Amino acid sequence: MDYLTNKENLIKKMIEWGFKRKNKNIFRRIERDAVLDFYFSHYTRGANHIKYYTINVNVWYPEIDRVKKAGHFYFGIPNSIIWNDLGHLMGSPVQKEYGISDDEDETSVNMVVERICSDLSVYALPIMERYSSIYTLIDDFEKGLLERFHVSKQTMALLYLIYSGKAKASDYVCQQLILLRRSGSGEPGLTIHEGKIAGMDSVTVSVKGNELALWEDLYEKIKAFH
């Protein structure tokens, strides 16, 4: 059987939603502030006559990558808020899979495609469209509506810096540092060294005393092109 993303009815639905087929696995839609991706993959469980398809839903922000480049740090800060299997968006702790055997007729395969499109339209597309707006994302984050996505503190710090300004970003970072101290975690695992940010699991600045210079420098670079 041909790979699922080659199916005409799936491609037609994606076009209707504004997505283009980027390659064998990805359908992509580009918004002003965000890129929306449906990422199809499959596995066989050792049975070569059947494919189990899964779909990851991704909303990512190219501006984060531009700012990381401007600040000369290239790791440790995700450019994505949502990178979830469709099953997780449906409220399941496991992946959502769609099994298609090689001997299924066209009608059966099209029924699976219709089920996929229905699930995506209900559980994925509204979320993707909602959070293609950075301002809606920030507003929902502040209301505590994004907890299930486990948003990176580093990513939010940069989004605040880009879209809400330096004061808002600095306030957020300070709040995170206070929470870390109260939790007994000590200082965050980030350091600032020669204008670069290192580390993976904490906020974007440390409390070493030179974070202001980094924020000032990065903020000026952001203003130059944003």
Side-chain angles (χ1 to χ4, degrees):
M1 189 198 78
D2 199 4
Y3 200 76
L4 186 65
T5 55
N6 288 323
K7 303 305 294 181
E8 183 177 347
N9 53 339
L10 178 61
I11 294 173
K12 182 178 179 181
K13 178 56 71 174
M14 289 293 171
I15 291 174
E16 179 183 319
W17 290 341
F19 287 79
K20 294 182 179 180
R21 192 170 184 267
K22 186 175 184 295
N23 55 39
K24 177 182 177 181
N25 297 314
I26 297 175
F27 286 98
R28 174 167 291 176
R29 174 172 148 186
I30 299 176
E31 298 289 307
R32 186 188 67 177
D33 298 327
V35 176
L36 318 181
D37 283 340
F38 290 124
Y39 185 91
F40 287 72
S41 57
H42 77 278
Y43 51 94
T44 64
R45 295 182 181 169
N48 294 327
H49 67 285
I50 187 169
K51 291 184 176 70
Y52 297 94
Y53 288 90
T54 62
I55 307 163
N56 260 57
V57 178
N58 186 209
V59 179
W60 59 278
Y61 306 103
E63 198 76 343
I64 291 179
D65 291 331
R66 292 181 65 187
V67 171
K68 287 164 66 176
K69 183 177 180 181
H72 302 291
F73 52 98
Y74 304 96
F75 54 91
I77 302 178
N79 64 9
S80 178
I81 291 294
I82 298 172
W83 176 252
N84 295 82
D85 177 79
L86 177 60
H88 299 161
L89 297 182
M90 297 173 74
S92 171
V94 297
Q95 287 183 314
K96 175 67 176 177
E97 60 184 28
Y98 302 87
I100 303 178
S101 64
D102 291 343
D103 57 3
E104 288 194 62
D105 60 27
E106 193 73 9
T107 299
S108 298
V109 175
N110 284 337
M111 288 177 63
V112 174
V113 171
E114 288 174 6
R115 189 161 69 249
I116 289 172
C117 291
S118 177
D119 289 343
L120 289 176
S121 69
V122 172
Y123 297 102
L125 191 59
I127 291 174
M128 299 170 82
E129 291 180 335
R130 181 171 183 81
Y131 296 127
S132 66
S133 165
I134 295 291
Y135 299 103
T136 300
L137 171 80
I138 290 174
D139 187 53
D140 280 4
F141 177 77
E142 294 181 343
K143 293 176 180 176
L145 300 179
L146 299 183
E147 292 180 358
R148 64 176 169 145
F149 298 120
H150 305 291
V151 176
S152 162
K153 293 181 176 66
Q154 296 169 303
T155 301
M156 283 309 305
L158 275 188
L159 288 177
Y160 275 132
L161 184 63
I162 298 167
Y163 294 98
S164 299
K166 184 174 58 180
K168 182 72 172 179
S170 297
D171 287 346
Y172 173 72
V173 168
C174 289
Q175 291 170 12
Q176 297 308 311
L177 293 174
I178 290 170
L179 290 174
L180 282 167
R181 293 192 190 102
R182 287 177 178 173
S183 69
S185 300
E187 287 191 4
L190 291 179
T191 59
I192 297 176
H193 181 63
E194 295 181 356
K196 295 185 180 181
I197 299 178
M200 295 288 289
D201 299 319
S202 189
V203 292
T204 40
V205 297
S206 73
V207 289
K208 298 297 184 183
N210 60 347
E211 63 267 23
L212 182 59
L214 179 70
W215 281 107
E216 292 279 1
D217 181 57
L218 186 54
Y219 185 66
E220 291 303 317
K221 290 178 180 178
I222 292 170
K223 287 198 301 183
F225 63 78
H226 192 270

